Amino acid sequence: VQLQASGGGLVQPGGSLRLSCVAAGSGLNYHAIGWFRQAPGKEREGVSAIRSRDGAIYYVDSVKGRFTISRDRAKNTWYLQMNNLDPEDTAVYYCAASHSRLITSSMLVPRHYDEWGQGTQVTVSS
């Protein structure tokens, strides 16, 4: 799987962005797609994930009610709609795929994902 993330940029607090992650190539039998982010000096953290077999969705508490993950199966594309952005959301955002069946507690854990796309920078600043 090759993952290509895009859609980052500079936005004012309270603004919105939509990130896209396109999957291409062989090995598309992933079990989950996740969005992760890493701010300078911080560890990479899971933001949201969606499980392929049943569409179950997971969010980290800090983005619940503001971010929405979705997918377009026909386009092999996943989205992360981010609303009401806060400067604390500033980070490089990555999409990743897991080919392992993950339990709920692992869905937002970076080390359980084995394919990573390049990151896209999101900067929230006035």
Side-chain angles (χ1 to χ4, degrees), residues 47-111:
V47 176
S48 182
I50 185 167
R51 191 164 56 202
S52 298
R53 71 176 186 270
D54 60 3
I57 288 173
Y58 302 84
Y59 298 101
V60 68
D61 286 348
S62 61
V63 307
K64 286 180 179 177
R66 301 188 298 123
F67 291 12
T68 303
I69 192 172
S70 62
R71 60 183 174 181
D72 184 330
R73 286 182 180 274
K75 296 181 178 179
N76 282 332
T77 301
W78 289 258
Y79 304 98
L80 185 68
Q81 177 67 43
M82 306 186 296
N83 297 329
N84 193 22
L85 283 160
D86 183 270
E88 290 293 314
D89 297 315
T90 295
V92 178
Y93 284 70
Y94 302 87
C95 60
S98 174
H99 291 85
S100 302
R101 287 185 176 268
L102 302 178
I103 59 176
T104 296
S105 60
S106 298
M107 288 295 293
L108 295 179
V109 178
R111 62 183 173 87

